[in-house]
């Protein structure tokens, strides 16, 4: 493999899409078969990309992290199998139940022909996707990466969470996505925050943590509650996004950390 | 490297299968799951996991709760580690990255639980807990007692190839000292029905690249490669069995399940991998292990992409090993990387099993079943295409 070429990676734009999305008219036809997991991914991704895909679609990749993927669609496929019998299950639900279906939609609808990677991690998949995007941008021949966290709380797991121990408040299924556009374009040097380092160390932990996502601590300054409509699995991505948005001109480096039963992570960003 | 599939329990058996040993392909074994589907599958021979040892004290406790995909991953990983000669104690002194691809392995497919739940029952939560704790990379990390980056790649059928490429990037960027990378997937009634619903399965053993191919057969398996930087291997006096020379990946941006008709993304992935490997002369490529699923659209797109990359004056032999393993989904790219290294080490390659009359519509002719050719070099390509339009390619070189 060729030797790495040193490239700085900058955060060009961030966006989020929480709750049931409102599909703009120009995407209605393209998203008519898409599930809500894909819809929130496409809306967050297109908001972060803006007009940033540039002239060459091969220069932009997509990196998507998720804890459980499109679980509702997975169960929808099981419904179709149970109700219709073998050989009669829904082909559309099956093809949309794979974890990378959303990345495929993003690539197709936003015309992104660089690398397309989906990673699954029970703890902080956005940080995992961010780390992979940074490494890939540093080593591989493309310039921009759309990085997303997409989460959907299936009623199956929500119900399991309520039974695993008494919840503080009865949760209802939620979904949402966070998207960042990263770039290595050198003209960004003087105006965009630079993503210096990401370290993610997840460990195997009790299933109850993943069900209830309690006692996640994000620093500096706050333990962010992701909001009533946001899935709990998105909390880390939302907290980091908020921290990045709060970096002002002239501020010192942001050293952001996450700690929880599932491990620890740190991100360093400089203006 | 370690490898488990219908084609064998280890790399030696895979080489024998590549060279003509019969490989069973038949109905889904009753102990795997009950189904009325008649499509044949390639099932991997089951073997007990190794007993817990002082080296892996957590093995017994964790293994008791593993799903079939995680069991396959663990078998391949332990096999690879033993063959690498790296002592478990030495492993724990390093930053070890674990990067595995899967599809079935990260889906909640406990049918009994879901059936009861949707009927309003409150079934015991054990299947939910097992699902949430069955991240195959995290499991392996815990059993081995190592620390470092850990990732599960879920790029559908390209996951195994991408996991190896990502692990290579980790080593290059210094994120780990050594990487355990590959892919695993077990047979599942859900995926069998999914591919049947998509009408992509053959009712007979699959015939990749053949004119009258009807589709794929599903399979199961796992393959794991131990990767480390050359300087590290040299210091430890470990002789490599080969090199990961290059990696490229690119999206088709075309269709949710069908490949771009000209293999647009695959062309970009191969070009990027060759550039990464610093191979300007394509005559250095001695063979290509294609994705070769035996679906009409995949095989045509793949040969179209290769015809655009390799001009008529030099076309390395193209094979598919899915007629020996079935389509093992997230494991496929890793198993095929092992097959590629084995063929390159062996310095000959045999044509695709059951490819007797290549489709005349192909712009690139694959090697047929009764052909066996000596290889002109030690570097080959192993490539994958995936639902969602993902394409990935590895450049691999076998050690002399």
């Amino acid at each position: 493999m060729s030797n790495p070429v040193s490239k700085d990676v900058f955060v060009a734009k961030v966006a989020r899409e929480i709750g049931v999305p409102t599909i703009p008219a120009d995407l209605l036809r393209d998203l008519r078969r898409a599930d809500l997991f894909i819809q929130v991914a496409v809306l967050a991704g297109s908001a972060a990309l803006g007009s940033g895909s540039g002239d060459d679609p091969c220069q932009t990749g997509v990196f998507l992290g998720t804890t459980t993927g499109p679980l509702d669609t997975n169960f929808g496929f099981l419904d179709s199998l149970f109700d219709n019998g073998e050989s009669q299950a829904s082909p559309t639900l099956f093809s949309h139940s794979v974890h990378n279906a959303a990345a495929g939609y993003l690539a197709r609808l936003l015309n992104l022909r660089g690398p397309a990677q989906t990673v699954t991690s029970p703890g902080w998949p956005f940080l995992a996707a961010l780390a992979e995007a940074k490494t890939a941008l540093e080593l591989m021949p493309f310039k921009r990466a759309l990085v997303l966290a997409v989460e959907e709380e299936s009623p199956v797991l929500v119900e399991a969470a309520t039974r695993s121990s008494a919840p503080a408040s009865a949760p209802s299924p939620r979904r949402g996505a966070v998207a960042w556009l990263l770039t290595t374009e050198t003209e960004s040097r003087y105006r965009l925050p630079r993503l210096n380092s990401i370290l993610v160390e997840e460990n195997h932990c009790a299933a109850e943590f993943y069900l209830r996502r309690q006692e996640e601590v994000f620093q500096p300054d706050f333990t962010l509650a992701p909001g009533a409509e946001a899935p709990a699995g998105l909390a880390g991505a939302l907290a980091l996004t908020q921290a990045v948005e709060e970096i002002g001109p002239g501020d010192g480096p942001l050293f952001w950390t996450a700690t929880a039963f599932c491990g620890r992570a740190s991100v360093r960003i400089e203006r | 490297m370690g490898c488990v599939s219908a084609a064998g329990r280890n790399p030696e058996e895979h080489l024998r299968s590549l060279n003509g040993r019969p490989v069973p392909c038949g109905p889904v074994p009753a102990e795997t799951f009950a189904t009325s589907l008649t499509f044949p599958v390639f099932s991997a021979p089951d073997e007990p996991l190794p007993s817990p040892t002082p080296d892996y004290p957590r093995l017994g406790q964790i293994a008791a709760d593993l799903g079939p995909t995680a069991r396959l991953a663990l078998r391949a990983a332990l096999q690879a580690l033993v063959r690498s000669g790296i002592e478990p104690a030495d492993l724990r002194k390093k930053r070890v990255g674990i990067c595995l691809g899967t599809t079935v392995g990260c889906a909640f497919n406990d049918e009994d639980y879901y059936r009861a739940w949707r009927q309003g029952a409150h079934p015991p939560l054990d299947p939910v807990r097992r699902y949430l704790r069955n991240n195959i990379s995290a499991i392996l990390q815990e059993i081995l007692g190592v620390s470092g980056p850990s990732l599960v790649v879920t790029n559908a059928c390209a996951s195994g190839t991408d996991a190896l490429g990502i692990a290579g990037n980790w080593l290059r960027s210094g994120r780990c000292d050594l990487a355990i990378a590959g892919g695993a997937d077990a047979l599942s009634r859900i995926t069998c029905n999914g591919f049947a619903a998509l009408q992509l399965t053959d009712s007979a053993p699959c015939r990749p690249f053949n004119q009258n191919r009807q589709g794929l057969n599903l399979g199961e398996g796992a393959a794991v490669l131990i990767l480390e930087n050359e300087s590290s291997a040299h210091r430890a006096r470990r002789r490599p069995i080969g090199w990961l020379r290059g990696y490229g990946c690119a999206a088709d941006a075309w269709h949710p399940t069908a490949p771009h008709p000209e293999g647009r993304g695959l062309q970009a992935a191969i070009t990027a991998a060759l550039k990464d490997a610093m191979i300007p002369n394509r005559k250095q490529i001695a063979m290509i292990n294609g994705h070769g699923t035996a679906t009409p659209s995949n095989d045509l797109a793949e040969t179209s992409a290769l015809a655009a990359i390799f001009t008529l004056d030099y076309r390395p032999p193209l094979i598919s090993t899915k007629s020996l393993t079935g389509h093992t989904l997230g494991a496929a790219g890793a198993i095929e990387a092992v097959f590629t290294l084995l063929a390159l080490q062996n310095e000959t390659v045999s044509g695709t099993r059951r490819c007797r009359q290549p489709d005349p519509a192909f712009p690139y002719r694959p090697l047929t079943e009764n052909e066996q050719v000596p290889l002109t070099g030690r570097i080959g390509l192993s490539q994958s295409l995936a639902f969602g339009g993902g394409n990935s390619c590895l450049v691999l070189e076998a050690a002399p």
Side-chain angles (χ1 to χ4, degrees):
Chain A
M1 294 171 116
S2 56
N3 289 325
V5 176
S6 177
K7 284 194 280 186
D8 287 335
V9 177
F10 303 94
V11 184
K13 197 169 178 186
V14 300
R16 48 176 83 67
E17 180 71 35
I18 306 295
V20 177
T22 304
I23 314 278
D26 61 328
L27 285 173
L28 276 174
R29 179 178 160 76
D30 287 322
L31 291 174
R32 68 192 185 282
R33 293 198 180 100
D35 55 28
L36 289 165
F37 184 91
I38 290 168
Q39 289 177 12
V40 292
V42 169
L43 294 192
S46 54
L49 189 68
S51 58
S53 64
D55 295 332
D56 182 356
C58 296
Q59 291 298 322
T60 308
V62 56
F63 293 75
L64 190 151
T66 180
T67 56
T68 59
L71 258 188
D72 264 1
T73 303
N74 184 62
F75 292 130
F77 180 73
L78 282 177
D79 286 334
S80 78
L81 176 60
F82 295 162
D83 296 340
N84 304 336
E86 289 202 298
S87 300
Q88 302 300 318
S90 163
T92 302
L93 287 170
F94 178 67
S95 62
H96 286 66
S97 70
V98 293
H99 283 211
N100 69 329
Y105 265 81
L106 283 157
R108 185 163 59 91
L109 298 183
L110 305 180
N111 196 25
L112 313 176
R113 287 164 48 193
Q117 303 283 2
T118 299
V119 300
T120 300
S121 153
W124 296 304
F126 180 67
L127 301 181
L130 201 60
E132 291 323 311
K134 181 176 185 292
T135 300
L137 280 166
E138 287 166 345
L139 298 177
M140 298 172 79
F142 69 111
K143 292 179 181 169
R144 287 172 294 274
L146 194 58
V147 187
L148 296 104
V150 188
E151 298 299 346
E152 176 176 65
E153 290 175 343
S154 162
V156 177
L157 293 192
V158 168
E159 190 274 333
T162 61
R163 278 196 287 141
S164 72
S165 57
S169 60
S172 57
R174 298 166 292 190
R175 61 186 57 80
V178 166
W180 288 21
L181 180 66
L182 303 182
T183 179
T184 58
E185 289 156 312
T186 49
E187 60 268 28
S188 309
R189 185 173 302 274
Y190 299 108
R191 58 184 182 88
L192 296 176
R194 186 176 66 181
L195 184 55
N196 276 14
S197 64
I198 308 169
L199 182 66
V200 188
E201 293 178 344
E202 285 195 31
N203 48 254
H204 214 199
C205 77
E208 269 64 24
F209 168 76
Y210 302 120
L211 277 174
R212 296 174 51 74
R213 305 292 305 208
Q214 289 185 328
E215 298 184 45
E216 281 184 277
V217 177
F218 308 117
Q219 296 285 350
D221 294 333
F222 52 87
T223 299
L224 184 131
E229 290 189 349
L234 211 55
L238 286 166
L240 179 58
T241 301
Q242 181 176 320
V244 167
E245 286 175 320
E246 288 177 357
I247 302 175
D251 284 353
L254 168 70
F255 186 67
W256 182 90
T257 62
T259 51
F261 291 115
C262 69
R264 59 184 180 159
S266 62
V267 179
R268 186 181 170 91
I269 296 175
E270 279 181 8
R271 185 88 192 182
Chain B
M1 56 194 179
C3 196
V4 179
S5 78
R9 290 167 294 183
N10 52 50
E12 289 76 18
E13 289 189 4
H14 279 77
L15 180 60
R16 285 199 284 278
S17 296
L18 191 61
N19 289 335
R21 186 179 86 138
V23 174
C25 172
V28 177
E31 64 273 20
T32 304
F33 54 82
T35 178
S36 60
L37 297 176
T38 55
F39 302 108
V41 296
F42 288 82
S43 57
D46 196 18
E47 279 187 334
L49 290 168
S51 301
T53 67
D55 290 331
Y56 305 121
R58 301 275 289 138
L59 180 62
Q61 184 190 348
I62 296 171
D65 203 32
L66 292 184
T69 294
R71 284 176 62 88
L72 286 166
L74 184 57
R75 281 171 62 189
L78 293 177
Q79 192 184 111
L81 280 167
V82 168
R83 286 161 174 259
S84 73
I86 300 172
E87 293 296 326
D90 291 339
L91 201 61
R92 291 186 193 105
K93 294 175 190 162
K94 296 175 180 287
R95 287 173 304 151
V96 178
I98 299 182
C99 192
L100 298 172
T102 190
T103 61
V104 176
C106 62
F108 186 93
N109 282 338
D110 193 296
E111 292 186 48
D112 291 340
Y113 183 93
Y114 183 65
R115 189 178 279 111
W117 184 87
R118 77 178 198 144
Q119 288 169 347
H122 299 292
L125 291 173
D126 296 351
V128 173
R129 293 194 175 99
R130 196 175 305 123
Y131 160 67
L132 291 169
R133 283 179 52 81
N134 248 292
N135 180 286
I136 55 175
S137 293
I139 286 169
L140 194 53
Q141 194 176 42
E142 186 168 358
I143 288 174
L144 301 178
V146 296
S147 59
S150 163
L151 195 68
V152 167
V153 179
T154 45
N155 286 337
C157 310
S159 303
T161 299
D162 284 316
L164 288 164
I166 287 170
N169 281 347
W170 286 356
L171 287 166
R172 271 197 289 179
S173 64
R175 287 174 63 186
C176 60
D177 306 315
L178 180 144
I180 298 171
D185 256 328
L187 282 167
S188 148
R189 197 173 86 100
I190 312 304
T191 45
C192 283
N193 272 280
F195 280 95
L198 286 162
Q199 300 184 333
L200 291 175
T201 43
D202 196 335
S203 57
C206 64
R207 294 156 278 179
F209 298 129
N210 205 50
Q211 184 174 13
N212 64 349
R213 68 198 180 281
Q214 297 293 314
L216 56 81
N217 308 134
L218 287 169
E220 63 184 347
V224 167
L225 280 76
I226 309 298
L227 305 176
E228 65 180 328
N229 285 320
E230 192 146 25
S231 56
S232 159
H234 184 72
R235 276 197 304 276
R237 299 186 178 183
R238 274 190 287 275
R239 187 175 169 274
I241 56 174
W243 293 271
L244 174 55
R245 289 290 186 208
Y247 166 58
C249 59
D252 273 344
W254 177 254
H255 187 272
T257 54
H260 185 273
E262 288 146 29
R264 175 169 75 184
L266 181 59
Q267 288 183 44
I270 296 170
T271 303
L274 290 170
K275 186 177 176 188
D276 190 36
M278 296 183 288
I279 293 182
N281 181 357
R282 289 167 191 192
K283 291 184 180 175
Q284 288 179 259
I285 301 302
M287 65 163 286
I288 300 165
N289 192 357
H291 191 56
T293 57
T295 62
S297 59
N298 175 89
D299 294 4
L300 182 58
E302 197 170 7
T303 50
S304 298
L306 288 169
I309 300 283
F310 293 93
T311 48
L312 279 170
D313 66 320
Y314 179 71
R315 290 195 160 168
L318 165 66
I319 63 160
S320 166
T321 50
K322 286 196 173 64
S323 49
L324 305 174
T325 61
H327 193 344
T328 57
L329 305 176
I335 293 173
E336 287 153 21
V338 168
F339 270 126
T340 305
L341 283 168
L342 290 169
L344 291 164
Q345 283 174 339
N346 201 39
E347 299 179 345
T348 59
V349 67
S350 301
T352 302
R353 193 83 52 97
R354 292 183 292 282
C355 175
R356 289 159 192 152
Q357 188 171 7
D359 191 334
F362 290 161
Y364 192 114
R365 184 186 177 278
L367 213 57
T368 58
E369 180 177 51
N370 56 3
E371 292 176 290
Q372 188 176 57
V373 297
L375 296 180
T376 56
R378 305 190 75 86
I379 302 176
L381 302 184
S382 182
Q383 61 198 29
S384 298
L385 290 78
F387 275 10
N391 303 271
S392 306
C393 180
L394 300 172
V395 181
L396 298 159
E397 179 175 357

